[in-house]
Amino acid sequence: VDFAALKEHGVEKMFLLETGAGDAPVQGVVYLVQPNVRKLRLVAEQVRAGSGREHSVQLVPRRTLLGERVLEEAGVLGDVTLGELRLDAVPLDDDVVSLEQPGMFAALYLDGDFSGIQSVARALMRLQGLWGFFPRIVGKGDYAQMLAHSLERMRAELGTGSAGDALALSSAFDAAVVVDRAADVVTPLLTQLTYEGLVSEVFGIVGGAVAGGDAKGARVAASGDDAVYRAIRDVGFADVGALLGAMTRQLQTSYESRHQARTVQEIRSFVGRLGGLQAEHQALKAHVAVAEAVLRRTQSDDFGALLDIEQTLVAGADLDPEQRAYVDRVLALADTHAYVPGVDTERRDPPAPAAPNSLHKVLRILCLCALWRGPALKQKTYDAWYDEIVAAFGAHHTITLDNLARVGLLPPPSAARSQPGSAHANPRGFLRKALNLAVADDADDVAYAYAGYAPLSVRLLQVLTQDPAVHTPAA
C-alpha cells in the first residue's frame, strides 16, 4: 500500500516492529503483527514503555489463543485493543498472491501445525467467492489432499449441493492445481539465472522491492508496476546488459525528440510525456546499478564454483575432488554474521562480489548433495560435514541439522538406504529421466532459468494440466 494512501486515512508514520515508535510524538500506535511469541513479547515491551498512548494490536491473519496468552502473561492484555486483520492473501504482483507466511513450511513439516492449511483454504474460498467454484481440484501430496478436503467442507458449509455446484462453477478457471512443497524441495536450493532470480539471490526481494534499495538506500521496484523491471525480470542475465542498453538508447531518443517539437501542440505533447520519461530514467538508473552489483557476483570465481556444483549434482554425478575442496574451504572460512539476502531484514553495505560463507550458503550446498546423491553419498562424508558445521557455527546448530533431517531436506544416507516402498535407489535420478528435468539449450523451456534444469514442481504442473480430466467440463 502506498504510504500516501495511508496518510490520507490518518497514518502519520510507519515503523518496523524491531525499532518501534520510540519517542515519536504520536497519540496512538497500531501494531500489525503475526501471532508469534517473540514478536508479541516485543510488542508487550513497547506497550509498557509507551504509557500514555493508545495501543491497538491487530493479529495477522487471525486472532489466536496463543497470542492472547502471550499478551496476558506479559501483563498488557488489558492495556491494548486486541483484534485481527484477516489478510488472507497479499497481491505481490499482477499474477502473484501470497499469504506471506514464510514459517508455514516449518509449521507443517516440523511442528505438525496444520492451521496454515486453513489459511490457504480461506484465501481460496475468497477467490472462489469472486470468480466461482473451481471445476476441478487436482494436486500432489498429502497436504494438497488435506487442502482439497478443507475446500470441499467449506463449500458444503455454504449449503451448496451438487446441483448448486453446477450453477456456481467458475468460467474463469479450469482447475486449481495444488503441489506440496515437499514434492519439490530441490528447486528453491538452486540458483536462478534470470535477472529477477539473481537479484533475489544477491539482494533479496521483499514486498515487491529490492531489499535494502540501491547504494543510497532508495527503493528499487521489483514488481510488474515498474516498466523497466517488467521488461527484464524473466530475461537470462547474460542478455540483460544489451536490453538495458537498448532501453537507454530508446529513452535518449525520446528525450531528443524535444528538438523536433515546433508547434505548441507538439511541445504540449512532449511535456505531457516528460514525467513518464523522467520516471523511466530513474528506474533505468536504479536497475543499471543493481545489474552492475549482480554482474560482479556472477563474474566471481565463487559464483562459478557454486553453479558448477549445482549442475554436477542435478546431472546425477558425484562431486569431484576440486568441488569437495571448495565445500571444505567454505566450511573453513565460515562467517557466523554473514548477511543472508531475503532473510535478514536490513542490508547496510553493498553486496560483496563473492557470496559470504554464511550458514545459509553452506546448508544449501549440503542439502543439495544429500537430496541428489541420496544413498550414494558416503555416511563418512555426511558425518564429517555435520561435525564441521557444528564446529564452525556453534553446537546449538545440531538442532538445525536434526530439524533439516526431519523435514527431509538433509536426509542422512543411512535413512535413504533404508527407506521402504521405493522402487528406485535414487528417486530423483529416476524423475530426472522420466520427466525430462535436464534440458540443454532450449530457450522455450522453463529449464533456461536454471541453466538446463526444469523445476520438478513445474513439470508436475505441466503433467497435471495436460491430463484430459482437467479440461473436461463438469457434468
Side-chain angles (χ1 to χ4, degrees):
V1 178
D2 187 55
F3 181 69
L6 296 175
K7 201 168 184 178
E8 291 177 0
H9 291 79
V11 177
E12 296 180 9
K13 294 185 178 180
M14 294 176 62
F15 303 94
L16 294 174
L17 177 61
E18 287 73 13
T19 58
D23 298 327
V26 292
Q27 295 180 345
V29 179
V30 178
Y31 293 93
L32 302 179
V33 61
Q34 292 178 336
N36 174 282
V37 174
R38 183 189 65 82
K39 293 179 180 179
L40 288 175
R41 286 176 177 168
L42 192 55
V43 168
E45 291 177 8
Q46 296 178 15
V47 169
R48 286 194 294 266
S51 58
R53 291 175 176 160
E54 296 181 6
H55 296 90
S56 173
V57 179
Q58 302 298 316
L59 300 181
V60 184
R62 66 189 183 282
R63 182 170 174 167
T64 65
L65 291 175
L66 174 63
E68 294 181 23
R69 179 64 62 86
V70 172
L71 295 176
E72 183 179 12
E73 291 178 352
V76 299
L77 183 59
D79 300 325
V80 303
T81 301
L82 185 62
E84 64 181 10
L85 177 61
R86 286 190 172 272
L87 199 63
D88 293 329
V90 181
L92 299 182
D93 216 325
D94 295 338
D95 55 356
V96 178
V97 295
S98 169
L99 294 181
E100 289 298 274
Q101 295 186 33
M104 188 180 293
F105 180 85
L108 284 171
Y109 293 93
L110 188 61
D111 303 330
D113 179 0
F114 304 140
S115 59
I117 292 178
Q118 297 305 310
S119 299
V120 178
R122 281 198 301 271
L124 292 177
M125 285 301 295
R126 178 172 294 187
L127 188 65
Q128 291 180 97
L130 296 172
W131 299 98
F133 290 130
F134 302 130
R136 295 281 192 278
I137 301 176
V138 293
K140 169 65 177 174
D142 295 337
Y143 292 133
Q145 187 176 35
M146 290 178 64
L147 175 61
H149 290 164
S150 295
L151 290 172
E152 291 173 359
R153 186 179 67 253
M154 290 180 176
R155 286 172 61 162
E157 290 172 355
L158 291 177
T160 57
S162 57
D165 285 352
L167 298 175
L169 291 180
S170 172
S171 59
F173 299 107
D174 292 325
V177 180
V178 187
V179 179
D180 279 13
R181 171 44 67 197
D184 180 16
V185 293
V186 167
T187 300
L189 301 174
L190 297 173
T191 301
Q192 296 183 62
L193 297 182
T194 60
Y195 177 74
E196 183 172 47
L198 284 170
V199 169
S200 179
E201 185 81 19
V202 176
F203 289 88
I205 296 176
V206 180
V210 177
D214 61 13
K216 297 181 180 180
R219 186 180 189 274
V220 179
S223 69
D225 295 334
D226 184 298
V228 175
Y229 187 77
R230 185 169 61 247
I232 63 177
R233 64 190 306 176
D234 297 327
V235 176
F237 189 72
D239 300 322
V240 167
L243 187 54
L244 285 173
M247 295 174 73
T248 301
R249 289 190 294 272
Q250 183 179 357
L251 180 64
Q252 184 66 28
T253 301
S254 299
Y255 271 128
E256 291 176 353
S257 66
R258 70 186 185 276
H259 299 302
Q260 281 72 47
R262 296 289 185 267
T263 66
V264 173
Q265 184 177 2
E266 290 173 343
I267 294 173
R268 184 184 297 115
S269 175
F270 175 80
V271 171
R273 294 186 293 116
L274 186 59
L277 293 175
Q278 290 174 334
E280 185 179 353
H281 183 191
Q282 292 301 317
L284 265 172
K285 184 179 178 181
H287 284 292
V288 166
V290 169
E292 287 175 344
V294 173
L295 181 62
R296 288 192 294 271
R297 176 67 58 82
T298 59
Q299 290 179 335
S300 68
D301 293 338
D302 179 82
F303 182 86
L306 277 172
L307 196 61
D308 188 46
I309 287 175
E310 291 180 6
Q311 292 177 335
T312 297
L313 291 171
V314 299
D318 195 7
L319 301 185
D320 60 33
E322 185 177 346
Q323 291 170 329
R324 291 179 181 275
Y326 170 80
V327 176
D328 292 337
R329 187 166 61 253
V330 169
L331 284 166
L333 300 176
D335 182 358
T336 57
H337 303 291
Y339 169 77
V340 179
V343 177
D344 297 335
T345 55
E346 294 186 12
R347 175 179 56 82
R348 297 178 177 85
D349 302 316
N357 295 322
S358 64
L359 176 65
H360 184 268
K361 174 181 176 179
V362 171
L363 290 178
R364 280 178 65 174
I365 298 173
L366 301 193
C367 287
L368 278 173
C369 288
L371 289 167
W372 275 106
R373 296 301 296 156
L377 179 65
K378 295 180 180 179
Q379 186 68 43
K380 181 175 65 174
T381 302
Y382 182 95
D383 293 340
W385 283 344
Y386 189 110
D387 293 340
E388 287 186 60
I389 289 175
V390 172
F393 295 99
H396 59 289
H397 281 298
T398 56
I399 299 174
T400 304
L401 296 169
D402 290 345
N403 285 343
L404 288 172
R406 285 177 56 192
V407 301
L409 281 169
L410 192 61
S414 57
R417 296 188 191 100
S418 61
Q419 187 175 8
S422 177
H424 305 277
N426 188 349
R428 285 183 176 79
F430 169 76
L431 290 173
R432 184 180 62 252
K433 297 177 181 179
L435 296 179
N436 194 27
L437 300 183
V439 180
D441 301 326
D442 187 351
D444 296 327
D445 193 281
V446 69
Y448 85 94
Y450 290 92
Y453 172 77
L456 176 57
S457 50
V458 176
R459 284 289 192 254
L460 288 174
L461 178 63
Q462 291 172 332
V463 170
L464 289 169
T465 53
Q466 289 169 3
D467 188 336
V470 176
H471 299 286
T472 302

